[in-house]
Amino acid sequence: MLTAILLGFLFALFLVFSGKLFKGKFSVLASLVPLGLFAYFCSFIPLISNGEVVRKSYEWVPSFGVNFSFTLDGLSLLFSLMITGIGFLVFAYTSAYLKNHEYLDRFYGYLSAFMGAMLGLVLSDNVISLFTFWELTSISSFFLIGFNNTNPASRKSALTALGITGIGGLFLLLAGLVLGNISGTYSISEMLSMKEAISGHEYYALAVIFIFVAAFTKSAQFPFHFWLPGAMKAPTPVSTYLHSATMVKAGIYLLMRFTPVLGDQEIWNTTLIIVGAVTMVYSAIHTLFRTDLKGILAYSTISALGILVFLVGMGTRDTLLAAAVFIIVHALYKATLFLVTGIIDHETGTRDVTALSGLRKVLMPVAIAGFLAAVSSAGIPPSFGFLGKELTYEGTLHSETFNYILIGAIVLTKILLFYAGFVAGLKPFTGKLPERFSSLHMPSPLMWVPPVFLAVLGMAFGIFPALIQDSIIKPAVTALGANAGDVHLALWHGFNTAFILSLVTIVVGAIMYFVLKPSAKLESFIGKFETFSPKSILEKLSGIFVLFSGYWTRIFQNGYLRNYVSTIVFFLVVLVGYTMIGNTELKLDYSSLSEITIYEMAIAILLICGVIYTVFTKSRLAAVAAMGVVGLAICLIFVFYSAPDLAMTQFSIDTLTVILFVLVLYKLPRYLELADYKTRLKDGLLSLAFGAIVAILALEVLSEPVNNEIGDFYAKNAYIMAHGKNVVNVILVDFRGSDTMVEISVLAIAAIGVFGLLKLRLKSSDRIK
């Protein structure tokens, strides 16, 4: 299972060295990677459909309970098949859509890394590893959304998406830490057995809030929804893969995965119902005012995600069943519509629905795919969408939280989605063909076969729901903690309230489609309210933050190193001095101190003289030489106290520092008087205060009773555990190995940066700038 997850990353790495092979006619071979993974996960269908769960675990940081633990159950299998299946079609579509693109190999690399991250996310059983893959999806999607990096709008959209989803990732980490603190484990499967203990804990509400922020930002719930329409600047394969079938459903997956752990509580259910209802209605209304095909599909996607959150919030067996079915329904018809939109844009050069008509005459297979997807989106029989709509209505009607406002909200949303689906999937192909489109030709089969296949699949699952009833849907509902029982999916459920609501949806939606036409006038009307939108409000807040940052920078980050050091030292003096007030008892036992020798006295005098000379000299070179004297004096003190290794280290570093200072000073301009006597007096007083606090702390340490427990431990175990006789070296290399490795890494990075600066050769014009 780990190999399947890493395959996407390995293929992306492979493309770094052999990407040229996938830029030409062999680019379609890249689709074999998701196809192979799809076949791999299909092999688990018989096992999962029989109620079994596959678990794999690999140690990562076992001492902290953080491992690469993976679980393949009905829910993760549903998402894995969707990720790899639609991924295969998107990969194949991309080979024709971006044919001969200069960076096609790079695009495949980003796409592959994203696929691996999504698989890791939905298969993870450990909250920390889930968070890791969660962030990887945000990073890889950032590169995909901003793939057209020469376009400022694409770069802005990528940054916005990364910022919003990145904040959600931080809250997911916080949720994982809180849940780990409550349950004592980071394993999601182990948390299932602690449901009552978790829900009764004082930090339960905090964990739920953190989960909500993570899920709502990722799945574009109101008021975090605005990043998704902006992400439509990405190429169509990205919109298809990320923004209809996979990434935006990561938040839905998170809510579904934690429903058995955190669900059935008022804060959980009520919040999800309200947020889902607001999101689905708000976004569905927005589809009425859009003329760009991608814009229509973006807002209808947000609305569909709101429906899923709404159904999960209901929390009953029927609504969870409806959610599982609707995930597949939406993935099939929305991926189809995005692919169809990509073909239209590719062939006509426009996505303006008001300028498109009659394309069936030149793009008939594409028109068929669009029509079938529109039928499924509208919930018209015999599509799978009709079945999903019926289950949604039945689940809402039979829920304990049923009221007329909620059923009205879901019906209104479905009517508006009917309209949006027909505008995107049917309108471009009906009516008279404009003269300028008469010479269009069918694109490569690699472009039109995938949407046709997905559209036909949406009809086949509606006519023959038994194909996925027991193998996919039932195990997914069972994984949600609901008793799936016998699942019977069928087109006809009898003449009941749900069926009447379905008829109302179809009739009113059809009337709207024929009466209400998309127009630039409607789009300009909704633009008048842009000032009050969450996006505008957030941008204004970010503008205020930028102003505050500039003000803060001018005060504290003003380019003077002296001010930085003074600020740091001042706060240390204040904080440490405040802590020491009333907590310091200087009881120095002079009898425990060794006698001061003439050598130590001489070194101390030499050190003091070096410090004074450094402070008051007018010459830089003299100051550097005096600092070198101070460093050498400290070396001698180390020697006197039997620390030759520290003395050698101090000598080496001090000598190197003096040499570097001299080299730097050689290139600097003449000495400038940048401080008046008041500034020097302030710095002197601050230095004396800091020195006094350090001296008092040293004396306080001497007055404390000596505890040699730690020293004894290192002394006894240095040779036994680390096979080293030098205790200091053993502590640095073995007992503090990670810390030392990070320090070495920092020094290496700094050295590379210095080397780069030394090698930098600026043109005269650059120097002037």
Side-chain angles (χ1 to χ4, degrees), residues 110-136:
Y110 297 154
L111 213 57
S112 298
F114 172 80
M115 179 179 65
M118 275 301 304
L119 286 175
L121 191 156
V122 301
L123 293 171
S124 289
D125 186 51
N126 188 284
V127 181
I128 305 302
S129 63
L130 188 151
F131 158 76
T132 302
F133 288 113
W134 182 281
E135 290 297 87
L136 287 174

PDB file of all heavy atoms in Angstrom, residues 110-136:
ATOM      1  N   TYR A 110       3.670  17.503 -11.396  1.00  0.00           N
ATOM      2  CA  TYR A 110       2.797  18.077 -10.365  1.00  0.00           C
ATOM      3  C   TYR A 110       1.551  17.219 -10.170  1.00  0.00           C
ATOM      4  O   TYR A 110       1.108  16.975  -9.032  1.00  0.00           O
ATOM      5  CB  TYR A 110       2.372  19.493 -10.776  1.00  0.00           C
ATOM      6  CG  TYR A 110       3.494  20.492 -10.905  1.00  0.00           C
ATOM      7  CD1 TYR A 110       3.372  21.585 -11.752  1.00  0.00           C
ATOM      8  CD2 TYR A 110       4.683  20.347 -10.193  1.00  0.00           C
ATOM      9  CE1 TYR A 110       4.392  22.523 -11.885  1.00  0.00           C
ATOM     10  CE2 TYR A 110       5.707  21.272 -10.315  1.00  0.00           C
ATOM     11  CZ  TYR A 110       5.560  22.356 -11.168  1.00  0.00           C
ATOM     12  OH  TYR A 110       6.557  23.274 -11.299  1.00  0.00           O
ATOM     13  N   LEU A 111       0.978  16.766 -11.288  1.00  0.00           N
ATOM     14  CA  LEU A 111      -0.241  15.974 -11.235  1.00  0.00           C
ATOM     15  C   LEU A 111       0.000  14.651 -10.519  1.00  0.00           C
ATOM     16  O   LEU A 111      -0.830  14.199  -9.713  1.00  0.00           O
ATOM     17  CB  LEU A 111      -0.754  15.734 -12.657  1.00  0.00           C
ATOM     18  CG  LEU A 111      -2.264  15.647 -12.887  1.00  0.00           C
ATOM     19  CD1 LEU A 111      -2.954  16.912 -12.406  1.00  0.00           C
ATOM     20  CD2 LEU A 111      -2.552  15.427 -14.372  1.00  0.00           C
ATOM     21  N   SER A 112       1.137  14.019 -10.784  1.00  0.00           N
ATOM     22  CA  SER A 112       1.473  12.741 -10.156  1.00  0.00           C
ATOM     23  C   SER A 112       1.709  12.907  -8.662  1.00  0.00           C
ATOM     24  O   SER A 112       1.260  12.082  -7.850  1.00  0.00           O
ATOM     25  CB  SER A 112       2.720  12.141 -10.818  1.00  0.00           C
ATOM     26  OG  SER A 112       2.499  11.884 -12.181  1.00  0.00           O
ATOM     27  N   ALA A 113       2.430  13.974  -8.302  1.00  0.00           N
ATOM     28  CA  ALA A 113       2.665  14.226  -6.878  1.00  0.00           C
ATOM     29  C   ALA A 113       1.354  14.480  -6.149  1.00  0.00           C
ATOM     30  O   ALA A 113       1.150  13.997  -5.019  1.00  0.00           O
ATOM     31  CB  ALA A 113       3.602  15.421  -6.721  1.00  0.00           C
ATOM     32  N   PHE A 114       0.457  15.207  -6.800  1.00  0.00           N
ATOM     33  CA  PHE A 114      -0.852  15.451  -6.187  1.00  0.00           C
ATOM     34  C   PHE A 114      -1.622  14.138  -5.999  1.00  0.00           C
ATOM     35  O   PHE A 114      -2.238  13.918  -4.954  1.00  0.00           O
ATOM     36  CB  PHE A 114      -1.666  16.412  -7.044  1.00  0.00           C
ATOM     37  CG  PHE A 114      -3.082  16.572  -6.579  1.00  0.00           C
ATOM     38  CD1 PHE A 114      -3.388  17.399  -5.521  1.00  0.00           C
ATOM     39  CD2 PHE A 114      -4.116  15.871  -7.177  1.00  0.00           C
ATOM     40  CE1 PHE A 114      -4.681  17.534  -5.063  1.00  0.00           C
ATOM     41  CE2 PHE A 114      -5.417  15.992  -6.737  1.00  0.00           C
ATOM     42  CZ  PHE A 114      -5.707  16.834  -5.675  1.00  0.00           C
ATOM     43  N   MET A 115      -1.583  13.267  -6.999  1.00  0.00           N
ATOM     44  CA  MET A 115      -2.279  11.989  -6.894  1.00  0.00           C
ATOM     45  C   MET A 115      -1.735  11.173  -5.727  1.00  0.00           C
ATOM     46  O   MET A 115      -2.498  10.594  -4.936  1.00  0.00           O
ATOM     47  CB  MET A 115      -2.132  11.203  -8.203  1.00  0.00           C
ATOM     48  CG  MET A 115      -2.814   9.849  -8.189  1.00  0.00           C
ATOM     49  SD  MET A 115      -2.637   8.959  -9.763  1.00  0.00           S
ATOM     50  CE  MET A 115      -0.854   8.695  -9.765  1.00  0.00           C
ATOM     51  N   GLY A 116      -0.408  11.129  -5.589  1.00  0.00           N
ATOM     52  CA  GLY A 116       0.185  10.405  -4.469  1.00  0.00           C
ATOM     53  C   GLY A 116      -0.213  10.992  -3.137  1.00  0.00           C
ATOM     54  O   GLY A 116      -0.493  10.255  -2.172  1.00  0.00           O
ATOM     55  N   ALA A 117      -0.246  12.332  -3.051  1.00  0.00           N
ATOM     56  CA  ALA A 117      -0.636  12.989  -1.801  1.00  0.00           C
ATOM     57  C   ALA A 117      -2.088  12.695  -1.443  1.00  0.00           C
ATOM     58  O   ALA A 117      -2.421  12.439  -0.275  1.00  0.00           O
ATOM     59  CB  ALA A 117      -0.409  14.491  -1.912  1.00  0.00           C
ATOM     60  N   MET A 118      -2.975  12.705  -2.439  1.00  0.00           N
ATOM     61  CA  MET A 118      -4.388  12.416  -2.184  1.00  0.00           C
ATOM     62  C   MET A 118      -4.578  10.980  -1.724  1.00  0.00           C
ATOM     63  O   MET A 118      -5.368  10.699  -0.808  1.00  0.00           O
ATOM     64  CB  MET A 118      -5.222  12.682  -3.438  1.00  0.00           C
ATOM     65  CG  MET A 118      -5.658  14.124  -3.628  1.00  0.00           C
ATOM     66  SD  MET A 118      -6.666  14.814  -2.286  1.00  0.00           S
ATOM     67  CE  MET A 118      -8.023  13.658  -2.217  1.00  0.00           C
ATOM     68  N   LEU A 119      -3.867  10.052  -2.346  1.00  0.00           N
ATOM     69  CA  LEU A 119      -3.963   8.655  -1.919  1.00  0.00           C
ATOM     70  C   LEU A 119      -3.466   8.498  -0.485  1.00  0.00           C
ATOM     71  O   LEU A 119      -4.079   7.786   0.323  1.00  0.00           O
ATOM     72  CB  LEU A 119      -3.158   7.758  -2.864  1.00  0.00           C
ATOM     73  CG  LEU A 119      -3.762   7.494  -4.242  1.00  0.00           C
ATOM     74  CD1 LEU A 119      -2.797   6.696  -5.107  1.00  0.00           C
ATOM     75  CD2 LEU A 119      -5.087   6.738  -4.115  1.00  0.00           C
ATOM     76  N   GLY A 120      -2.365   9.147  -0.170  1.00  0.00           N
ATOM     77  CA  GLY A 120      -1.863   9.083   1.204  1.00  0.00           C
ATOM     78  C   GLY A 120      -2.851   9.665   2.192  1.00  0.00           C
ATOM     79  O   GLY A 120      -3.018   9.154   3.303  1.00  0.00           O
ATOM     80  N   LEU A 121      -3.546  10.734   1.777  1.00  0.00           N
ATOM     81  CA  LEU A 121      -4.513  11.389   2.654  1.00  0.00           C
ATOM     82  C   LEU A 121      -5.682  10.458   2.975  1.00  0.00           C
ATOM     83  O   LEU A 121      -6.054  10.291   4.144  1.00  0.00           O
ATOM     84  CB  LEU A 121      -5.006  12.668   1.986  1.00  0.00           C
ATOM     85  CG  LEU A 121      -5.834  13.665   2.785  1.00  0.00           C
ATOM     86  CD1 LEU A 121      -5.720  15.057   2.166  1.00  0.00           C
ATOM     87  CD2 LEU A 121      -7.315  13.278   2.832  1.00  0.00           C
ATOM     88  N   VAL A 122      -6.272   9.857   1.960  1.00  0.00           N
ATOM     89  CA  VAL A 122      -7.483   9.068   2.181  1.00  0.00           C
ATOM     90  C   VAL A 122      -7.175   7.699   2.786  1.00  0.00           C
ATOM     91  O   VAL A 122      -8.090   7.052   3.328  1.00  0.00           O
ATOM     92  CB  VAL A 122      -8.290   8.886   0.880  1.00  0.00           C
ATOM     93  CG1 VAL A 122      -8.690  10.237   0.320  1.00  0.00           C
ATOM     94  CG2 VAL A 122      -7.509   8.093  -0.159  1.00  0.00           C
ATOM     95  N   LEU A 123      -5.923   7.258   2.712  1.00  0.00           N
ATOM     96  CA  LEU A 123      -5.567   5.947   3.258  1.00  0.00           C
ATOM     97  C   LEU A 123      -4.951   6.035   4.652  1.00  0.00           C
ATOM     98  O   LEU A 123      -4.828   5.017   5.339  1.00  0.00           O
ATOM     99  CB  LEU A 123      -4.586   5.226   2.322  1.00  0.00           C
ATOM    100  CG  LEU A 123      -5.146   4.798   0.963  1.00  0.00           C
ATOM    101  CD1 LEU A 123      -4.024   4.302   0.062  1.00  0.00           C
ATOM    102  CD2 LEU A 123      -6.203   3.706   1.124  1.00  0.00           C
ATOM    103  N   SER A 124      -4.560   7.232   5.081  1.00  0.00           N
ATOM    104  CA  SER A 124      -3.868   7.380   6.365  1.00  0.00           C
ATOM    105  C   SER A 124      -4.783   7.048   7.535  1.00  0.00           C
ATOM    106  O   SER A 124      -5.926   7.497   7.597  1.00  0.00           O
ATOM    107  CB  SER A 124      -3.327   8.807   6.520  1.00  0.00           C
ATOM    108  OG  SER A 124      -2.243   9.035   5.665  1.00  0.00           O
ATOM    109  N   ASP A 125      -4.231   6.296   8.468  1.00  0.00           N
ATOM    110  CA  ASP A 125      -4.945   5.976   9.706  1.00  0.00           C
ATOM    111  C   ASP A 125      -4.361   6.743  10.876  1.00  0.00           C
ATOM    112  O   ASP A 125      -4.860   6.654  11.991  1.00  0.00           O
ATOM    113  CB  ASP A 125      -4.890   4.475   9.982  1.00  0.00           C
ATOM    114  CG  ASP A 125      -5.731   4.065  11.175  1.00  0.00           C
ATOM    115  OD1 ASP A 125      -6.918   4.437  11.219  1.00  0.00           O
ATOM    116  OD2 ASP A 125      -5.188   3.403  12.085  1.00  0.00           O
ATOM    117  N   ASN A 126      -3.282   7.482  10.634  1.00  0.00           N
ATOM    118  CA  ASN A 126      -2.629   8.272  11.673  1.00  0.00           C
ATOM    119  C   ASN A 126      -2.878   9.746  11.384  1.00  0.00           C
ATOM    120  O   ASN A 126      -2.675  10.205  10.256  1.00  0.00           O
ATOM    121  CB  ASN A 126      -1.126   7.964  11.692  1.00  0.00           C
ATOM    122  CG  ASN A 126      -0.426   8.605  12.870  1.00  0.00           C
ATOM    123  OD1 ASN A 126      -0.183   9.795  12.885  1.00  0.00           O
ATOM    124  ND2 ASN A 126      -0.094   7.783  13.867  1.00  0.00           N
ATOM    125  N   VAL A 127      -3.315  10.479  12.384  1.00  0.00           N
ATOM    126  CA  VAL A 127      -3.701  11.874  12.174  1.00  0.00           C
ATOM    127  C   VAL A 127      -2.513  12.718  11.706  1.00  0.00           C
ATOM    128  O   VAL A 127      -2.664  13.593  10.853  1.00  0.00           O
ATOM    129  CB  VAL A 127      -4.286  12.477  13.469  1.00  0.00           C
ATOM    130  CG1 VAL A 127      -4.716  13.923  13.236  1.00  0.00           C
ATOM    131  CG2 VAL A 127      -5.475  11.667  13.946  1.00  0.00           C
ATOM    132  N   ILE A 128      -1.333  12.441  12.236  1.00  0.00           N
ATOM    133  CA  ILE A 128      -0.161  13.236  11.879  1.00  0.00           C
ATOM    134  C   ILE A 128       0.261  12.953  10.435  1.00  0.00           C
ATOM    135  O   ILE A 128       0.597  13.874   9.683  1.00  0.00           O
ATOM    136  CB  ILE A 128       1.002  12.973  12.842  1.00  0.00           C
ATOM    137  CG1 ILE A 128       0.565  13.223  14.299  1.00  0.00           C
ATOM    138  CG2 ILE A 128       2.189  13.844  12.480  1.00  0.00           C
ATOM    139  CD1 ILE A 128       0.055  14.625  14.555  1.00  0.00           C
ATOM    140  N   SER A 129       0.248  11.689  10.034  1.00  0.00           N
ATOM    141  CA  SER A 129       0.587  11.384   8.646  1.00  0.00           C
ATOM    142  C   SER A 129      -0.507  11.908   7.700  1.00  0.00           C
ATOM    143  O   SER A 129      -0.216  12.341   6.578  1.00  0.00           O
ATOM    144  CB  SER A 129       0.786   9.880   8.451  1.00  0.00           C
ATOM    145  OG  SER A 129      -0.400   9.159   8.715  1.00  0.00           O
ATOM    146  N   LEU A 130      -1.758  11.887   8.157  1.00  0.00           N
ATOM    147  CA  LEU A 130      -2.840  12.474   7.361  1.00  0.00           C
ATOM    148  C   LEU A 130      -2.591  13.962   7.137  1.00  0.00           C
ATOM    149  O   LEU A 130      -2.766  14.481   6.029  1.00  0.00           O
ATOM    150  CB  LEU A 130      -4.174  12.251   8.071  1.00  0.00           C
ATOM    151  CG  LEU A 130      -5.451  12.633   7.308  1.00  0.00           C
ATOM    152  CD1 LEU A 130      -6.622  11.743   7.761  1.00  0.00           C
ATOM    153  CD2 LEU A 130      -5.845  14.085   7.526  1.00  0.00           C
ATOM    154  N   PHE A 131      -2.158  14.636   8.198  1.00  0.00           N
ATOM    155  CA  PHE A 131      -1.824  16.060   8.076  1.00  0.00           C
ATOM    156  C   PHE A 131      -0.681  16.276   7.081  1.00  0.00           C
ATOM    157  O   PHE A 131      -0.706  17.223   6.289  1.00  0.00           O
ATOM    158  CB  PHE A 131      -1.429  16.619   9.448  1.00  0.00           C
ATOM    159  CG  PHE A 131      -0.594  17.864   9.382  1.00  0.00           C
ATOM    160  CD1 PHE A 131      -1.166  19.089   9.072  1.00  0.00           C
ATOM    161  CD2 PHE A 131       0.777  17.814   9.617  1.00  0.00           C
ATOM    162  CE1 PHE A 131      -0.385  20.237   8.991  1.00  0.00           C
ATOM    163  CE2 PHE A 131       1.552  18.949   9.536  1.00  0.00           C
ATOM    164  CZ  PHE A 131       0.973  20.171   9.234  1.00  0.00           C
ATOM    165  N   THR A 132       0.307  15.389   7.097  1.00  0.00           N
ATOM    166  CA  THR A 132       1.448  15.512   6.188  1.00  0.00           C
ATOM    167  C   THR A 132       0.983  15.452   4.737  1.00  0.00           C
ATOM    168  O   THR A 132       1.357  16.296   3.907  1.00  0.00           O
ATOM    169  CB  THR A 132       2.468  14.400   6.463  1.00  0.00           C
ATOM    170  OG1 THR A 132       2.898  14.467   7.829  1.00  0.00           O
ATOM    171  CG2 THR A 132       3.679  14.540   5.548  1.00  0.00           C
ATOM    172  N   PHE A 133       0.166  14.461   4.429  1.00  0.00           N
ATOM    173  CA  PHE A 133      -0.330  14.337   3.056  1.00  0.00           C
ATOM    174  C   PHE A 133      -1.308  15.465   2.716  1.00  0.00           C
ATOM    175  O   PHE A 133      -1.390  15.898   1.564  1.00  0.00           O
ATOM    176  CB  PHE A 133      -0.996  12.969   2.863  1.00  0.00           C
ATOM    177  CG  PHE A 133      -0.022  11.830   2.830  1.00  0.00           C
ATOM    178  CD1 PHE A 133      -0.006  10.882   3.843  1.00  0.00           C
ATOM    179  CD2 PHE A 133       0.882  11.702   1.792  1.00  0.00           C
ATOM    180  CE1 PHE A 133       0.891   9.834   3.819  1.00  0.00           C
ATOM    181  CE2 PHE A 133       1.779  10.646   1.751  1.00  0.00           C
ATOM    182  CZ  PHE A 133       1.791   9.710   2.773  1.00  0.00           C
ATOM    183  N   TRP A 134      -2.039  15.915   3.710  1.00  0.00           N
ATOM    184  CA  TRP A 134      -2.959  17.044   3.524  1.00  0.00           C
ATOM    185  C   TRP A 134      -2.188  18.270   3.032  1.00  0.00           C
ATOM    186  O   TRP A 134      -2.599  18.936   2.072  1.00  0.00           O
ATOM    187  CB  TRP A 134      -3.648  17.339   4.854  1.00  0.00           C
ATOM    188  CG  TRP A 134      -4.659  18.431   4.870  1.00  0.00           C
ATOM    189  CD1 TRP A 134      -4.418  19.776   4.920  1.00  0.00           C
ATOM    190  CD2 TRP A 134      -6.087  18.294   4.869  1.00  0.00           C
ATOM    191  NE1 TRP A 134      -5.592  20.471   4.964  1.00  0.00           N
ATOM    192  CE2 TRP A 134      -6.635  19.590   4.926  1.00  0.00           C
ATOM    193  CE3 TRP A 134      -6.947  17.198   4.844  1.00  0.00           C
ATOM    194  CZ2 TRP A 134      -8.004  19.828   4.949  1.00  0.00           C
ATOM    195  CZ3 TRP A 134      -8.318  17.421   4.863  1.00  0.00           C
ATOM    196  CH2 TRP A 134      -8.840  18.716   4.917  1.00  0.00           C
ATOM    197  N   GLU A 135      -1.079  18.554   3.668  1.00  0.00           N
ATOM    198  CA  GLU A 135      -0.272  19.701   3.262  1.00  0.00           C
ATOM    199  C   GLU A 135       0.372  19.478   1.899  1.00  0.00           C
ATOM    200  O   GLU A 135       0.539  20.429   1.119  1.00  0.00           O
ATOM    201  CB  GLU A 135       0.805  19.967   4.318  1.00  0.00           C
ATOM    202  CG  GLU A 135       0.265  20.510   5.621  1.00  0.00           C
ATOM    203  CD  GLU A 135      -0.403  21.865   5.453  1.00  0.00           C
ATOM    204  OE1 GLU A 135      -1.611  21.909   5.138  1.00  0.00           O
ATOM    205  OE2 GLU A 135       0.271  22.890   5.619  1.00  0.00           O
ATOM    206  N   LEU A 136       0.727  18.244   1.597  1.00  0.00           N
ATOM    207  CA  LEU A 136       1.302  17.951   0.282  1.00  0.00           C
ATOM    208  C   LEU A 136       0.288  18.197  -0.832  1.00  0.00           C
ATOM    209  O   LEU A 136       0.659  18.631  -1.933  1.00  0.00           O
ATOM    210  CB  LEU A 136       1.805  16.509   0.231  1.00  0.00           C
ATOM    211  CG  LEU A 136       3.086  16.220   1.025  1.00  0.00           C
ATOM    212  CD1 LEU A 136       3.398  14.729   1.005  1.00  0.00           C
ATOM    213  CD2 LEU A 136       4.265  17.007   0.451  1.00  0.00           C
TER     214      LEU A 136
END
